[in-house]
Amino acid sequence: MRLGEGVEWTLHCCLTLGWLDTDEPVSTAKLAAIFELPPAYLNKRLQALVRAGVLTSTAGARGGFRLARDPKDITLMEVVAAVEGSEYAFRCTEIRRRGAGADRPAHEFQRQCVITTAMRKAELAWRRELASQTLADILVAAPAAAGERTRDWFDRVG
Amino acid sequence: MRLGEGVEWTLHCCLTLGWLDTDEPVSTAKLAAIFELPPAYLNKRLQALVRAGVLTSTAGARGGFRLARDPKDITLMEVVAAVEGSEYAFRCTEIRRRGAGADRPAHEFQRQCVITTAMRKAELAWRRELASQTLADILVAAPAAAGERTRDWFDRVG
């Protein structure tokens, strides 16, 4: 099981936008340069965050991205779901209905498979934990140096 | 994020072995037939469970698999980790050290990245939930028809 690199990228970009806390939108080129990421791939992920309502984007030469809401109103779950989708990691393919189950009456399969129920329970615990943590929490937990590094870089590179 | 089909397959096979509750090992061919699964692929996954100490295997014409322990002593986490490995789904590639971080002093990066910490916290909640559920719990939660279906099929097919 693996989360795509887009989760790491976009979470770092969201923190960066939180640290800069500017009214000016920040371009994909700059966000990519801060972390040496491929701009086109990063842009695709940032657009997914716009569609999910986590970021707003502005077009044009001075365009770019801003947080759509206060960091305390953006959860990690929203960012992860925007990038990875909201499907469950465990996909039940109903193998219980095949082979030994093939000629059994339909009512035997009305209830969700117990394995699916158990696996979903664990995924809900994961989701609940991500939903309980906001960008503001992460900004507070981060060392001061991380925010300074970001702002220094912006002051230099503009 | 997606868990491989091997998780569904092996969890169903473990339940099957729990329902049959026989001293006779059950062959890959039979376990594959119950769910119409490809025997060679299934065998690979079952061998991973043997390596993890969840199943025991016996070679030979009447060989096959048995649960290595009582179902109450086998957790879902053990089965999932055996098949999927125990790496975290979120892989931190330390992008904070690149670009804006490239010429910063090493001590700024001594502490784990706050994003990694937050993502791990969620994964630990997932793991804890899977570790708290045993095969015995699932066997109890399953409808009686599921166990009967398995035993009937075995009585017929032998």
Side-chain angles (χ1 to χ4, degrees):
Chain A
M1 187 169 68
R2 181 166 198 166
L3 282 163
E5 58 199 0
V7 172
E8 185 185 16
W9 296 2
T10 52
L11 285 172
H12 273 285
C13 286
C14 286
L15 281 195
T16 298
L17 294 171
W19 276 316
L20 293 176
D21 195 21
T22 166
D23 280 340
E24 295 282 299
V26 181
S27 68
T28 303
K30 279 185 195 157
L31 288 169
I34 298 178
F35 303 110
E36 292 177 21
L37 297 174
Y41 285 118
L42 178 62
N43 189 260
K44 214 177 136 183
R45 269 67 179 252
L46 294 171
Q47 294 296 348
L49 263 61
V50 171
R51 284 194 297 277
V54 172
L55 301 180
T56 56
S57 69
T58 321
R62 298 187 61 82
F65 299 92
R66 269 180 295 201
L67 294 177
R69 284 169 267 150
D70 191 284
K72 73 172 171 31
D73 298 322
I74 297 173
T75 70
L76 299 196
M77 188 68 248
E78 287 177 276
V79 178
V80 173
V83 177
E84 288 281 319
S86 51
E87 260 197 278
Y88 284 102
F90 178 81
R91 315 270 164 91
C92 173
T93 63
E94 290 282 341
I95 63 172
R96 63 179 177 162
R97 293 173 188 257
R98 287 150 41 176
D103 53 4
R104 305 290 291 202
H107 68 79
E108 275 191 20
F109 307 107
Q110 265 167 357
R111 271 180 56 196
Q112 188 180 56
C113 174
V114 282
I115 290 174
T116 305
T117 305
M119 295 300 295
R120 293 268 158 93
K121 205 172 156 193
E123 287 198 57
L124 290 173
W126 180 76
R127 291 181 181 202
R128 238 183 339 260
E129 189 57 51
L130 289 180
S132 76
Q133 298 184 71
T134 69
L135 273 189
D137 297 330
I138 309 295
L139 287 163
V140 165
E148 285 159 19
R149 180 162 76 231
T150 305
R151 286 184 291 266
D152 286 357
W153 188 90
F154 257 79
D155 288 344
R156 268 187 294 134
V157 176
Chain B
M1 186 169 69
R2 180 165 199 168
L3 282 163
E5 57 197 0
V7 172
E8 185 186 16
W9 296 2
T10 53
L11 284 172
H12 274 284
C13 286
C14 286
L15 282 196
T16 298
L17 294 171
W19 276 317
L20 293 177
D21 194 20
T22 166
D23 281 339
E24 295 284 298
V26 182
S27 69
T28 303
K30 278 184 195 158
L31 287 169
I34 297 178
F35 303 111
E36 291 176 25
L37 298 173
Y41 284 119
L42 178 62
N43 189 259
K44 216 177 134 185
R45 270 66 178 251
L46 295 172
Q47 293 297 347
L49 264 61
V50 172
R51 285 193 297 276
V54 172
L55 301 181
T56 56
S57 69
T58 320
R62 298 187 62 81
F65 299 92
R66 269 180 294 199
L67 294 177
R69 283 170 268 148
D70 192 283
K72 74 172 170 28
D73 298 322
I74 298 173
T75 71
L76 299 196
M77 187 69 248
E78 287 176 275
V79 177
V80 173
V83 177
E84 288 281 318
S86 52
E87 262 197 277
Y88 284 101
F90 178 81
R91 316 270 163 90
C92 172
T93 64
E94 290 282 341
I95 64 172
R96 63 179 176 162
R97 292 173 189 257
R98 286 149 43 174
D103 53 5
R104 306 289 291 202
H107 68 77
E108 275 190 20
F109 306 107
Q110 265 167 358
R111 271 180 55 196
Q112 186 180 59
C113 173
V114 282
I115 290 173
T116 304
T117 306
M119 294 300 294
R120 293 268 158 94
K121 206 171 155 193
E123 287 198 57
L124 290 174
W126 180 76
R127 290 180 182 204
R128 239 184 337 261
E129 188 57 51
L130 289 180
S132 77
Q133 298 183 72
T134 68
L135 273 189
D137 297 331
I138 309 295
L139 286 164
V140 166
E148 286 160 20
R149 179 162 77 233
T150 304
R151 286 184 291 267
D152 285 356
W153 188 89
F154 258 77
D155 288 343
R156 266 186 297 134
V157 177

